[in-house]
Amino acid sequence: MFGRTELEFQGIQWMLADVATDLEASRLLYKHASKLLGTPEGTVAAAHAKRFAPDAAQRAAATCMQVLGGTGLLTPSAIERNYRIAPVMKMVDGTTEIQRVVIARSLQQYAKTLPPIPEQECQ
Ligand SMILES: Cc1cc2nc3c(=O)[nH]c(=O)nc-3n(C[C@H](O)[C@H](O)[C@H](O)COP(=O)(O)OP(=O)(O)OC[C@H]3O[C@@H](n4cnc5c(N)ncnc54)[C@H](O)[C@@H]3O)c2cc1C
C-alpha cells in the first residue's frame, strides 16, 4: 500500500498484534486443557479453550481479510477459507453457547464454596 507493506502501518500493526495475542492465548488454553484431560478440572479447561479459540479464529480471519483489502475478499486463499470455516468451529463439538453454560456452572459451584459476605459489607 502506497509503496509500503501493510505491517509498516501502525493501525495494521495493532490489528495483527491482537490476532497474534488471540492465537497465543488459544494455543495456551488448548495445551492447558489437554494436560487436564481425564481430570475433574478437564471439562471446564476444555470449555474455556473451546469457547475462546473459535471466537478468536473468527476475529482473526475477519481481520486478515480486512488487512488484505480487495485481495483478501476476492482471491481464493487459506484466509478466505478460514473465514468460512471459523463459524463452523463455534458449532461443532459443542457450541460456544454451551461452553459458556459449562463455565457458568463451574462459577456457580465455586461461589458455593465462598464464605458469605458479612452484612455490613453488603450495605
Ligand atoms: C457439521 C457439524 C458437525 C458436528 N460434529 C459434531 C461432533 O463431531 N461431535 C459432537 O458431539 N457434535 C457435533 N455436532 C453437533 C454440535 O456440536 C452441536 O451440539 C449441535 O449442532 C447443536 O444442535 P442443533 O444444531 O440442533 O442446535 P440447537 O440445539 O437447536 O441450538 C441452536 C442454538 O442455540 C444455542 N443453545 C442451545 N441451547 C442453549 C442454552 N441452554 N443456552 C444458550 N444457548 C443455547 C446453541 O448453542 C445454538 O447456537 C456437529 C454439528 C455440525 C453442524
Side-chain angles (χ1 to χ4, degrees):
M1 290 186 292
F2 312 108
R4 297 159 80 181
T5 67
E6 279 86 346
L7 261 177
E8 288 176 75
F9 294 95
Q10 193 178 54
I12 288 177
Q13 287 173 354
W14 287 7
M15 290 162 81
L16 294 179
D18 285 350
V19 169
T21 304
D22 275 357
L23 182 61
E24 187 70 11
S26 299
R27 281 191 182 130
L28 292 173
L29 283 169
Y30 264 96
K31 281 182 185 168
H32 181 62
S34 68
K35 280 185 191 144
L36 294 176
L37 199 70
T39 72
E41 296 82 29
T43 304
V44 176
H48 282 301
K50 180 66 177 65
R51 202 293 291 160
F52 184 85
D55 279 345
Q58 194 171 16
R59 280 196 301 274
T63 300
C64 292
M65 289 258 284
Q66 181 72 14
V67 166
L68 289 179
T71 309
L73 195 64
L74 300 172
T75 315
S77 68
I79 292 173
E80 168 262 333
R81 261 195 315 281
N82 287 338
Y83 187 75
R84 280 184 285 119
I85 291 169
V88 178
M89 302 317 293
K90 292 171 76 168
M91 216 180 290
V92 298
D93 287 334
T95 65
T96 307
E97 289 77 25
I98 296 305
Q99 306 308 328
R100 287 190 171 96
V101 171
V102 172
I103 294 165
R105 280 186 190 150
S106 80
L107 294 179
Q108 284 176 320
Q109 289 302 319
Y110 177 67
K112 283 180 193 163
T113 68
L114 297 175
I117 301 170
E119 259 182 45
Q120 285 159 327
E121 289 179 33
C122 292
Q123 290 163 359

